Amino acid sequence: MAPAAVEASLETPNINETLNDHRDGLALEATSDNIDQVNVLKAALKVKQGTATQEEKDIYEKSEFDAEKDKTQFRQYEEACDRVKNFYREQHEKQTVAYNLKIRNDIKSKT
């Protein structure tokens, strides 16, 4: 890693910056969708400039396997049954570095 990159990665975080500290799945999905849109635009620009690889050209072609599915029915978290809501809640609670390290240490300590 270049020295400038190392220095940049050691910057002190802005502790005065307001953070969205509540877990909002819909906001996360919207952010993810926006990132996807930017990536599509970047790929289209590469294609237009003639600098895209074949893999980059192929990745954004329409998929045939789910072409007939109604995409508006995806990600309907609020309307899910309690079993599904509890599953996602549990998975989100366990998708942390602290939880992952704890489980790894627990498993390693057993014979």
Side-chain angles (χ1 to χ4, degrees):
M1 190 180 292
V6 171
E7 287 179 29
S9 67
L10 298 176
E11 288 181 17
T12 305
N14 180 0
I15 60 172
N16 296 321
E17 184 177 321
T18 58
L19 298 174
N20 179 2
D21 60 355
H22 68 283
R23 300 189 189 282
D24 185 352
L26 293 177
L28 180 61
E29 292 296 339
T31 300
S32 176
D33 291 344
N34 289 336
I35 291 170
D36 290 343
Q37 289 175 357
V38 169
N39 288 336
V40 168
L41 292 172
K42 287 169 67 175
L45 184 61
K46 278 184 157 185
V47 170
K48 185 177 181 180
Q49 293 172 340
T51 59
T53 65
Q54 188 61 44
E55 184 179 38
E56 290 171 323
K57 292 176 187 175
D58 293 342
I59 194 168
Y60 291 107
E61 288 185 7
K62 289 238 180 224
S63 171
E64 293 178 16
F65 100 164
D66 65 350
E68 297 164 3
K69 292 183 181 178
D70 180 12
K71 309 281 190 316
T72 61
Q73 298 303 311
F74 292 1
R75 301 177 180 165
Q76 300 296 322
Y77 302 115
E78 284 79 26
E79 298 167 12
C81 67
D82 288 340
R83 180 180 55 84
V84 172
K85 287 180 185 178
N86 289 335
F87 172 79
Y88 280 109
R89 181 188 47 73
E90 179 185 18
Q91 295 307 308
H92 284 272
E93 288 172 358
K94 292 181 177 179
Q95 290 178 357
T96 65
V97 173
Y99 183 86
N100 189 291
L101 292 173
K102 177 188 175 298
I103 294 302
R104 287 176 186 234
N105 288 332
D106 289 350
I107 291 171
K108 286 181 183 177
S109 66
K110 295 179 182 175
T111 57

